[in-house]
Amino acid sequence: MSIISILFLIALAIIALFLVAMHVGFRAPRTRETKTPEDFGMAFQQVFIPTASNKKLFAWLLPVENAIATNIILHGWGGNAEWMLPIAKPFHKAGMNVLLFDSRCHGNSDGAMFSSLPRFAEDLSFVANWLKDQYPQRCQKLVFTGHSVGAGAVLLEASRRKDIDAVISISAFAHPEWMMKRFLGGFRIPKILTRVILAYVQWLIGLRFANFAPVSTVCHIDAPVLIVHGKADTVVPVEDAHAIIEHCPEPHLSLFEVDDAGHESVDKFEENSRYLVEFLQKEGVIGS
């Protein structure tokens, strides 16, 4: 075997190992639920919602008698429906139906080859359509709420629909390329390798980052949007929230910054939930 053939095989092996490492490194950690809404004082129905490729999504429907508005709440990367229960409770108490679900590869939902923001949005689309088909009276008014990657996903899906009455985006990054560069920067990866990784991820997802970046998708949403962000967020700095608002300075977009809240500070967001509820009341989604 020639030296060129050997070098070629070594190069192929390196590329193969690199791709495997990429998939392992960016795979969403799966954490299954250990509590239910009942532990938070809320009655619920457990359902499985069909989605793409015969996959099923685990979900909890928290009904409120005679309520015609429903808030679909979506967790972030590596999260699950249980993690969002503290945020769900104030909306439920305010008189809204709430539906929480696990995106594919998360919680108790079925798996897939990979997860991504567009796949989160695709799952949200299936959930919203299922809800409107099964319980049309409960979702005469429909709200999307998401956290982190889920926050970007609700903005993406809302930008594609005309049947959404309000959107609440919590801790969203402004652009996936910015987010990935921040993450990869911690490993001191050469710039050329960073470009290769970014190109490969876009190829794998099947979309360019610009096509689903919150800084862009928010401009295509007709419904009122509340961008919520923690001032102490070190994963996604609050400047990302500023960039989203500044890029699309429309009157139906507003920003609420939470003091001392980090990226995963669900407790801080829950403490300030009255502002989120008041936003929906002001927009006429629920009564005051």
Side-chain angles (χ1 to χ4, degrees):
M1 183 178 293
S2 68
I3 186 66
I4 294 177
S5 298
I6 293 174
L7 290 174
F8 178 72
L9 290 174
I10 292 174
L12 286 179
I14 292 173
I15 292 171
L17 287 172
F18 167 74
L19 294 179
V20 170
M22 279 281 297
H23 281 274
V24 172
F26 287 102
R27 183 172 57 193
R30 185 186 287 272
T31 305
R32 299 185 186 276
E33 286 80 357
T34 58
K35 295 181 179 179
T36 73
E38 190 173 28
D39 294 306
F40 290 76
M42 295 177 286
F44 71 101
Q45 300 169 226
Q46 182 173 299
V47 296
F48 285 90
I49 300 172
T51 182
S53 304
N54 295 317
K55 301 292 185 180
K56 287 185 170 55
L57 303 175
F58 174 87
W60 288 323
L61 177 61
L62 285 53
V64 173
E65 189 174 2
N66 299 322
I68 63 170
T70 297
N71 191 349
I72 301 178
I73 301 180
L74 180 53
H75 60 79
W77 193 258
N80 60 33
E82 179 189 336
W83 289 15
M84 303 308 291
L85 282 170
I87 290 178
K89 189 170 183 177
F91 295 112
H92 189 260
K93 186 177 179 181
M96 296 189 76
N97 305 300
V98 175
L99 192 151
L100 307 102
F101 73 96
D102 295 337
S103 186
R104 273 172 290 178
C105 303
H106 291 75
N108 287 306
S109 288
D110 287 341
M113 285 187 63
F114 66 91
S115 186
S116 66
L117 188 155
R119 288 222 169 156
F120 270 60
E122 183 181 45
D123 289 342
L124 176 60
S125 177
F126 279 102
V127 169
N129 292 339
W130 175 88
L131 182 67
K132 290 173 73 71
D133 179 64
Q134 297 293 319
Y135 299 100
Q137 295 302 314
R138 290 181 178 174
C139 54
Q140 294 177 45
K141 292 184 179 294
L142 191 58
V143 176
F144 287 167
T145 297
H147 173 254
S148 190
V149 171
V154 300
L155 294 174
L156 175 58
E157 182 58 22
S159 73
R160 298 167 169 170
R161 305 178 73 110
K162 301 297 181 183
D163 58 350
I164 306 305
D165 294 279
V167 181
I168 300 175
S169 171
I170 305 172
S171 305
F173 51 74
H175 200 295
E177 183 173 336
W178 305 355
M179 181 66 186
M180 288 200 65
K181 283 183 175 179
R182 285 194 294 258
F183 174 75
L184 294 171
F187 296 94
R188 297 184 179 180
I189 294 174
K191 289 183 178 180
I192 188 170
L193 185 54
T194 296
R195 288 197 293 269
V196 171
I197 292 173
L198 296 178
Y200 176 73
V201 170
Q202 290 175 95
W203 173 82
L204 181 66
I205 292 173
L207 284 174
R208 295 187 62 81
F209 289 143
N211 292 339
F212 60 90
V215 73
S216 299
T217 58
V218 72
C219 298
H220 301 285
I221 300 175
D222 296 328
V225 178
L226 178 62
I227 303 295
V228 182
H229 214 102
K231 290 184 179 180
D233 193 332
T234 57
V235 177
V236 180
V238 72
E239 285 75 20
D240 274 37
H242 297 166
I244 293 172
I245 292 291
E246 290 166 7
H247 186 74
C248 191
E250 298 290 340
H252 64 284
L253 268 65
S254 54
L255 172 63
F256 174 52
E257 298 181 38
V258 182
D259 291 330
D260 302 321
H263 193 69
E264 303 289 348
S265 298
V266 175
D267 57 332
K268 292 291 183 181
F269 297 124
E270 181 188 9
E271 288 173 12
N272 290 273
S273 60
R274 68 182 185 279
Y275 295 106
L276 280 59
V277 172
E278 287 172 359
F279 163 72
L280 297 182
Q281 292 171 337
K282 183 187 71 173
E283 299 300 337
V285 177
I286 55 176
S288 55

